[in-house]
Amino acid sequence: MPTRHDDRSEPLAATPDTRPDAPAPAARFSPLQHLMYGHIYADAVRAVIVHGIADLLADGPRTAEDLAERSGTQAVPLRRILRMLATRGLFREENGAFALTESGAGLRADVPGSQRATALLFTDEMFRRSAENLPDTLRTGEPGFETAYGLPFFTHLSATPDKSRLFDAAMTSRTGQADEDIAGAYRFPASGTVVDVGGGRGGLLREALTRSPGLHGVLFDRPETVADHLLDTEELAGRWRTEGGDFFTAVPQGGDLYLLKNILHDWPDEDCLRILRTIRRAVTPGTRLLVIDAVLPADGSPHPALALDIVMLMVVRGRERTAAEFQDLLTRSGFHLHRILPTRAMSSVIEAEATADAKPEPEPAR
């Protein structure tokens, strides 16, 4: 039977101070617990986007009751979700009301640099179902997306216009600030022609042409993508054209500088070589190529693209790469890696030039 402790016995183990004014003990919350709850935060972000909560806060703080009435939601669950997201810096709770933070403002639909489309894409069922199949991906090496949908990701996009539009909008919103950072980190030529291969709606090309008034550009991508381009401005009039096509087959010839932004990370090595060799056959020795992608540190240090690498693993067959891996791809396709320029964005600028060696042989029929 336990004995009673008194002043002559060993002291008791420390117990919480229960006085009303005592400081609360620090809660134990391990990194593992944060990871386990990760999908909850993502789903909560999607929920407030779907109901336009951030847009309703554009003019200032509102109570959960006011927000609920305006959005057609219930005040109690809304308050709980906003309270949780406030701990992640998207909202701020003050005097019984909620306000947007600078980060949370990116969830609005009507602001420059909006991340609304990006958040909707990465919380879409396409990515959720792909992530659910990661255990199978570890076993088979196959993308979880293909397990879930039975076809490759980009084939699915081509067959579903609404998902294709979401993807294009997300890529535009995700890279808007990055385009400025990249164009600010690399000195584009004052004249000549730049060909943006797989350039989407042309955000980076627009930045390059804006900064170099004597430069002309060609935006090359899928016909349905370039049809919704961003180049039709008075400042750029007469200095650009669009061309639809397949960069596995052929790209526009005659350029002085070629861009390949956020393309190679979508593909496995063999397909990257096909893309690079297609460009090499279109250019002459000395032509510059800018591969713009994240460059993973070789020493395993933290980098935001490490998470994106898992997205590539579960959705497509691509990957993020180290400098040595980019150098290998470029060398094998007839280019010499000249330098790597870090930028304020997640991506770096990998500058290469076509070598004087014989052009690579055409790819065999597939």
Side-chain angles (χ1 to χ4, degrees):
M1 180 173 181
T3 58
R4 178 178 180 275
H5 285 78
D6 56 29
D7 293 341
R8 292 168 293 178
S9 60
E10 293 294 323
L12 287 168
T15 57
D17 190 340
T18 58
R19 292 174 302 171
D21 59 345
R28 293 178 180 174
F29 207 70
S30 71
L32 178 58
Q33 287 173 299
H34 280 294
L35 290 171
M36 289 188 295
Y37 290 136
H39 68 285
I40 297 174
Y41 292 104
D43 288 341
V45 169
R46 183 178 185 86
V48 298
I49 291 176
V50 167
H51 290 289
I53 303 302
D55 299 289
L56 293 173
L57 292 172
D59 296 329
R62 295 184 185 276
T63 65
E65 289 75 16
D66 186 14
L67 290 169
E69 182 178 354
R70 293 170 182 266
S71 62
T73 60
Q74 297 294 313
V76 172
L78 179 59
R79 180 185 299 108
R80 292 164 67 179
I81 287 176
L82 293 177
R83 179 178 61 188
M84 181 189 72
L85 292 178
T87 69
R88 290 294 177 265
L90 297 181
F91 300 94
R92 183 175 61 255
E93 190 173 5
E94 51 186 33
N95 300 322
F98 290 93
L100 278 176
T101 64
E102 182 177 354
S103 295
L107 300 179
R108 290 173 52 189
D110 59 348
V111 294
S114 169
Q115 295 300 299
R116 181 180 184 275
T118 305
L120 288 175
L121 176 68
F122 282 103
T123 58
D124 188 82
E125 63 168 355
M126 296 186 296
F127 287 81
R128 291 183 60 90
R129 292 180 63 186
S130 301
E132 289 171 358
N133 285 316
L134 275 174
D136 286 335
T137 296
L138 287 177
R139 179 174 53 83
T140 66
E142 299 296 309
F145 182 91
E146 295 185 19
T147 302
Y149 288 87
L151 73 173
F153 178 69
F154 289 110
T155 303
H156 178 71
L157 288 185
S158 296
T160 51
D162 58 329
K163 299 298 185 182
S164 181
R165 286 191 294 270
L166 174 61
F167 179 82
D168 288 340
M171 293 304 100
T172 298
S173 69
R174 180 171 171 263
T175 62
Q177 182 60 54
D179 289 337
E180 295 182 23
D181 293 337
I182 292 164
Y186 184 82
R187 186 184 297 274
F188 282 89
S191 60
T193 299
V194 57
V195 180
D196 195 353
V197 177
R201 299 176 64 198
L204 179 57
L205 182 59
R206 181 178 62 182
E207 284 292 329
L209 298 182
T210 299
R211 291 166 185 263
S212 297
L215 194 62
H216 288 70
V218 180
L219 178 62
F220 179 80
D221 208 314
R222 296 172 298 168
E224 64 271 23
T225 298
V226 298
D228 192 29
H229 64 81
L230 303 171
L231 302 174
D232 195 10
T233 67
E234 182 178 351
E235 185 179 11
L236 304 184
R239 294 200 286 129
W240 57 270
R241 65 180 175 87
T242 64
E243 185 173 330
D246 179 358
F247 51 46
F248 286 115
T249 304
V251 301
Q253 298 183 349
D256 301 291
L257 175 68
Y258 284 71
L259 308 180
L260 202 57
K261 174 174 169 280
N262 293 346
I263 300 298
L264 296 188
H265 78 152
D266 285 333
W267 303 96
D269 286 358
E270 58 269 26
D271 286 328
C272 289
L273 290 171
R274 291 176 62 204
I275 296 168
L276 290 168
R277 287 167 178 165
T278 300
I279 297 173
R280 181 62 187 86
R281 288 192 295 271
V283 304
T284 57
T287 301
R288 292 296 173 101
L289 167 68
L290 303 186
V291 174
I292 300 163
D293 259 320
V295 178
L296 295 180
D299 60 2
S301 56
H303 192 284
L306 289 169
L308 186 59
D309 185 48
I310 305 306
V311 174
M312 298 298 106
L313 176 68
M314 70 189 200
V315 175
V316 292
R317 295 176 180 268
R319 58 183 298 184
E320 305 304 321
R321 295 177 171 86
T322 64
E325 290 167 333
F326 278 114
Q327 183 173 30
D328 177 64
L329 290 175
L330 290 165
T331 300
R332 292 168 62 189
S333 54
F335 290 92
H336 169 69
L337 194 158
H338 179 55
R339 58 177 175 164
I340 297 178
L341 297 173
T343 74
R344 296 177 60 186
M346 182 164 52
S347 296
S348 294
V349 178
I350 305 163
E351 184 183 45
E353 63 179 40
T355 63
D357 301 333
K359 294 183 179 180
E361 293 297 319
E363 295 294 330
R366 294 169 67 90

